[in-house]
Amino acid sequence: STGKRELVAQAWYPAQRPSIFAWNGRARYRRLKETNFKSSYQSVLQTHAYLDAPVDPGGAPYPVLLFSPAWTGQRTQSTFLMEELASHGFIVVSVDHTYYSGLVELPGGQVYDASRAPSIGVFAGSSVAEQNARGDKYTLIEAQDQIAVLNDLERRNKEAGDPFSGRLD
């Protein structure tokens, strides 16, 4: 193992108004591979967001917020909140923590789930110190994921030609 983790992050941001022939159409709530039988309907639900819409340059630079989903949750679990914050001038980036989030489809098509995530709600048979150590371990892993995303956003903000160039505060 290289010690590196692949992450999936998704951004909601103030966008230019779409034309009647919108760029790539409205975003779906979740990609099909990130659903199961019971949640598959979410792959056809449209959100208010448009895929790959240009960032509105009018209010830039925009403050950036990071969203970390609940343990074994998914980056899209609070899409309504991300859309609301973006409509008020924030860029919100949500991260799936690979192996600790729900179903995650990586760019190569591999799908991972939270089956490797330990149960963090079972306190029987463990001490407070053991529970704290477990919490510290996974908090650190997720914090490192967030730092990696922030570093990538900082790079993109400085990179000429990137859609987020000069638009992140």
Side-chain angles (χ1 to χ4, degrees):
S1 170
T2 64
K4 295 186 179 198
R5 291 163 46 85
E6 285 188 88
L7 300 174
V8 175
Q10 185 169 341
W12 290 262
Y13 50 86
Q16 293 179 4
R17 288 199 175 276
S19 70
I20 196 162
F21 304 104
W23 309 283
N24 290 319
R26 293 204 0 224
R28 305 287 181 194
Y29 187 73
R30 286 203 174 117
R31 295 181 290 191
L32 182 59
K33 287 186 176 181
E34 295 177 330
T35 65
N36 57 32
F37 178 74
K38 285 173 48 175
S39 66
S40 62
Y41 71 94
Q42 294 172 346
S43 68
V44 297
L45 291 179
Q46 288 186 341
T47 66
H48 295 98
Y50 284 83
L51 292 170
D52 302 320
V55 179
D56 183 2
Y62 298 103
V64 177
L65 302 172
L66 292 182
F67 178 82
S68 187
W71 189 250
T72 70
Q74 292 176 275
R75 71 183 183 283
T76 56
Q77 73 185 34
S78 295
T79 292
F80 70 95
L81 177 60
M82 271 54 116
E83 290 179 341
E84 180 70 16
L85 289 165
S87 77
H88 291 282
F90 292 92
I91 292 178
V92 185
V93 180
S94 183
V95 180
D96 272 331
H97 300 281
T98 308
Y99 310 121
Y100 312 123
S101 288
L103 293 167
V104 180
E105 181 185 8
L106 297 177
Q110 312 93 309
V111 177
Y112 293 98
D113 62 17
S115 62
R116 296 185 189 184
S119 173
I120 60 172
V122 178
F123 299 106
S126 63
S127 68
V128 171
E130 290 169 327
Q131 287 296 322
N132 285 340
R134 180 180 289 163
D136 290 348
K137 176 183 176 181
Y138 293 105
T139 299
L140 179 60
I141 291 169
E142 290 192 1
Q144 290 169 337
D145 290 349
Q146 299 287 25
I147 290 167
V149 169
L150 285 172
N151 288 340
D152 187 59
L153 289 170
E154 183 176 34
R155 177 193 59 78
R156 293 183 69 177
N157 195 42
K158 294 176 183 175
E159 192 172 297
D162 188 280
F164 289 111
S165 181
R167 294 190 165 86
L168 306 174
D169 183 0

